[in-house]
Amino acid sequence: MSDPRRTWSQVGLRALEHARLLAQRGRGSATQAEADAARTVRDTLGQLGVGDIRLQPFRGLRSIWLFLALVFGLALVGHAAMWMLRAALGEWQALVVSLVAFGMSGYLLWRKFTFRSYPLQEVLPHGPSQNVVAVIPPYGEERQRVVLVSHLDSHRAVVWYASDWLVRAYGLVAPLVVWGVAAAPLLYTAWAAVDWPVFGWVGLAFGVLHFLGWFTGVTADLGPYSPGANDNAAAVGVLLALAERLTTEPLEHTEVWLAFTGCEETGCDGMLALLGKYGDALKDALFIDLELPGIGERLAYLPVEGVVRRKHIPQEVERLVCQVGERFGLEAAPGSAAGYFTEAGAAWEHGYQAVCLVSLPRGSNLLPEWHRLTDRPERLQSEALARMGELAWGLLSRLEAKKDAQD
């Protein structure tokens, strides 16, 4: 399968060229900039000679932060009911109002971050978005499918991501804010049951955190979008470079899909649209999701994802990834208390086989340039892009060989 005229360093340079073209400006979810990026990708695929290119339009959420403002606003209603209605309605009546508000808040969080539809979804701002899907057939009989995934959009450069120490603080605070939606009503129920004010004061402490979450949600969209070079124009660049190679070196029995998705940053709407339309055709496929691959000397995969519940990488997929990644020094990325979500995690939630691959810098476990204004093209490293491209190609080759052995 190897071509002696083409080195992986050249693939990395080609990926860098593609990434730089996309990362000249932020590409907010369901914005014109995201649509322009999709058009650029579609045109590039056509120039590379890919014959089957599909544009899949859908309506996507414009802002994850307004969703969080809604969720934590309902939690604040729960706090206010307990503290402000007790005198007027009575303790237990106020508790009922509080529990209803917290229940709705928690239900919205659960549905959203298990990647399913949720009440009040349409009251939030949505807009036209799109996936670009390219299908590269094998030169022989098609026996399996693999889906390479990268997202087109970039995130708001919210203050919580502006420096390493703020990211660490976010990692500590975020799970308290999320799980406080469940903890606070339990504390208020205990307060009403045993009349110990300490339960109420601890519940109110969660109220302070929920105000912080609500305030961040209502102000986040006042700031600019990250240029999104590493997150995730770099991954788009790697996929385009792999598409270029696959057009000249198609696999024998593996049909390769390349999915460039919209609205990942607002809850993986693009991946959900992809599964909604093509899920039956891809039920046995392996999804290989690339995230932040353009900076760092270490390759890693995410073994665990989830904001409201932890989902683990399927054991068979983990074995395959670790076997192929051994020569690259592939490692399991350390978990985050705040909880990651990626398109691989969305695929897990709906019963599909998937893995998310990332690059990390030496000496740090923080995702490089994650959602920052400094995530600019000049920070990308062609060596990191080449390394990720070679790993992804190694997975394709191993799957091809494995299928041949089984048949």
Side-chain angles (χ1 to χ4, degrees):
M1 282 187 185
S2 62
D3 183 346
R5 297 169 299 174
R6 191 191 304 266
T7 66
W8 283 108
S9 62
Q10 291 172 323
V11 170
L13 289 171
R14 289 291 287 152
L16 184 59
E17 290 175 17
H18 296 307
R20 284 174 172 168
L21 186 62
L22 288 178
Q24 297 304 311
R25 57 173 174 158
R27 304 171 305 283
S29 305
T31 63
Q32 185 59 50
E34 184 196 69
D36 291 343
R39 187 178 303 109
T40 297
V41 167
R42 185 172 55 171
D43 291 346
T44 301
L45 289 166
Q47 293 164 9
L48 294 175
V50 178
D52 187 353
I53 306 170
R54 312 170 190 180
L55 184 68
Q56 183 194 2
F58 63 92
R59 286 187 61 78
L61 182 63
R62 290 186 182 275
S63 171
I64 190 68
W65 295 102
L66 288 180
F67 168 80
L68 293 174
L70 171 62
V71 163
F72 297 126
L74 285 168
L76 289 177
V77 171
H79 290 288
M82 196 61 194
W83 285 93
M84 300 176 68
L85 298 181
R86 293 170 70 238
L89 298 181
E91 190 165 53
W92 288 101
Q93 291 85 345
L95 178 63
V96 169
V97 176
S98 177
L99 292 179
V100 169
F102 279 117
M104 179 60 75
S105 176
Y107 185 67
L108 291 177
L109 271 174
W110 183 265
R111 294 290 296 185
K112 176 64 174 175
F113 290 114
T114 56
F115 305 104
R116 287 163 174 84
S117 61
Y118 51 91
L120 304 179
Q121 185 168 335
E122 292 306 317
V123 307
L124 296 170
H126 286 67
S129 186
Q130 61 288 301
N131 297 328
V132 179
V133 181
V135 181
I136 301 178
Y139 68 81
E141 178 189 2
E142 183 262 305
R143 298 177 183 171
Q144 65 181 347
R145 292 186 173 111
V146 176
V147 186
L148 302 176
V149 182
S150 63
H151 64 84
L152 297 165
D153 54 327
S154 64
H155 200 86
R156 290 283 186 185
V158 180
V159 65
W160 287 105
Y161 309 112
S163 68
D164 287 353
W165 75 266
L166 281 170
V167 170
R168 292 188 179 96
Y170 172 81
L172 294 174
V173 172
L176 295 176
V177 178
V178 170
W179 287 106
V181 173
L186 293 177
L187 289 163
Y188 288 143
T189 301
W191 181 22
V194 300
D195 197 26
W196 289 2
V198 64
F199 289 119
W201 290 111
V202 176
L204 187 60
F206 282 109
V208 174
L209 294 177
H210 289 148
F211 175 81
L212 183 62
W214 171 83
F215 183 78
T216 302
V218 297
T219 59
D221 290 317
L222 299 176
Y225 291 103
S226 165
N230 194 34
D231 184 16
N232 204 30
V236 174
V238 172
L239 261 60
L240 289 173
L242 290 174
E244 186 172 358
R245 180 163 186 171
L246 284 163
T247 57
T248 58
E249 300 179 43
L251 303 176
E252 183 176 3
H253 299 299
T254 304
E255 183 177 77
V256 179
W257 290 46
L258 299 105
F260 304 88
T261 58
C263 290
E264 185 271 350
E265 298 288 7
T266 57
C268 300
D269 286 352
M271 173 59 82
L272 298 179
L274 181 76
L275 296 179
K277 184 170 184 177
Y278 298 110
D280 289 343
L282 300 174
K283 61 182 179 180
D284 297 320
L286 173 64
F287 291 75
I288 302 174
D289 179 26
L290 305 189
E291 285 278 359
L292 295 94
I295 300 173
E297 299 76 26
R298 299 154 54 206
L299 288 171
Y301 68 94
L302 300 186
V304 181
E305 294 190 30
V307 174
V308 295
R309 68 174 170 187
R310 294 294 191 254
K311 297 289 285 187
H312 294 262
I313 185 172
Q315 291 183 356
E316 182 180 354
V317 175
E318 186 170 29
R319 283 195 297 270
L320 171 70
V321 170
C322 290
Q323 288 168 3
V324 175
E326 185 176 4
R327 71 186 182 91
F328 297 94
L330 183 73
E331 57 190 272
S336 166
Y340 296 118
F341 73 82
T342 74
E343 288 165 312
W348 294 349
E349 282 282 0
H350 289 273
Y352 292 85
Q353 303 288 294
V355 61
C356 180
L357 302 174
V358 301
S359 293
L360 296 171
R362 186 179 294 115
S364 174
N365 290 325
L366 297 179
L367 296 171
E369 298 301 326
W370 186 39
H371 299 170
R372 295 186 185 182
L373 286 176
T374 53
D375 186 13
R376 309 194 65 82
E378 57 268 23
R379 295 179 179 267
L380 297 179
Q381 302 164 353
S382 63
E383 298 87 353
L385 296 170
R387 195 178 302 113
M388 182 63 79
E390 189 175 2
L391 173 60
W393 188 266
L395 284 169
L396 293 175
S397 301
R398 178 61 65 88
L399 285 165
E400 177 88 349
K402 183 178 178 182
K403 191 64 176 178
D404 286 343
Q406 290 174 346
D407 294 340

